[in-house]
Amino acid sequence: MFAASLQPEQASLAQETHLIDDVDGKLTSDALLNLHRKLVEIESITGNEKNVEKWLVSYLEKQNLTVELQEVGVDRFNVFAYPGKERKTDILVTSHIDTVISII
């Protein structure tokens, strides 16, 4: 959906990151750490989340998840992802996709 509009470095990140282990199909801690690492590599200071949003949507779609966007402000969206075509799930994982920089 958004892969064509990603910056070149983000498109390559989307291609190389996999959440599910290809060998046995199980979720691995290495895969989760890799996902986290890729997300924080994309600048996403509050109000400037568009690039990380595009990358995350592309990534989730590559995991064969249905992805929905919910607009919450000008050019700002919540990202919903779930297996199958119906939004019917027993688990909700929630987080911010922006990063916050504090100067001490």
Side-chain angles (χ1 to χ4, degrees), residues 43 45-46 99-103:
E43 181 182 325
I45 298 168
T46 304
T99 54
V100 178
I101 296 176
S102 56
I103 300 171

Side-chain angles (χ1 to χ4, degrees), residues 3-103:
S5 60
L6 292 174
Q7 300 291 331
E9 65 276 7
Q10 292 157 344
S12 68
L13 290 176
Q15 292 169 351
E16 68 188 45
T17 306
H18 300 284
L19 181 58
I20 304 300
D21 187 316
D22 291 334
V23 176
D24 59 12
K26 294 182 180 175
L27 189 63
T28 66
S29 59
D30 285 346
L32 288 172
L33 288 172
N34 193 36
L35 171 60
H36 173 77
R37 189 177 302 113
K38 298 303 181 184
L39 284 168
V40 298
E41 285 177 358
I42 302 168
E43 181 182 325
S44 58
I45 298 168
T46 304
N48 186 31
E49 301 97 339
K50 192 65 177 170
N51 286 335
V52 73
E53 171 202 311
K54 288 178 182 180
W55 184 89
L56 183 59
V57 167
S58 175
Y59 171 82
L60 293 168
E61 288 176 338
K62 286 183 171 131
Q63 306 307 314
N64 296 317
L65 297 171
T66 298
V67 178
E68 294 181 22
L69 297 178
Q70 176 189 53
E71 188 169 12
V72 294
V74 177
D75 215 20
R76 297 182 76 196
F77 296 86
N78 286 330
V79 178
F80 295 95
Y82 48 89
K85 297 298 176 196
E86 293 183 48
R87 192 187 323 162
K88 184 176 94 175
T89 183
D90 295 328
I91 298 173
L92 171 67
V93 177
T94 181
S95 180
H96 289 264
I97 60 172
D98 59 335
T99 54
V100 178
I101 296 176
S102 56
I103 300 171

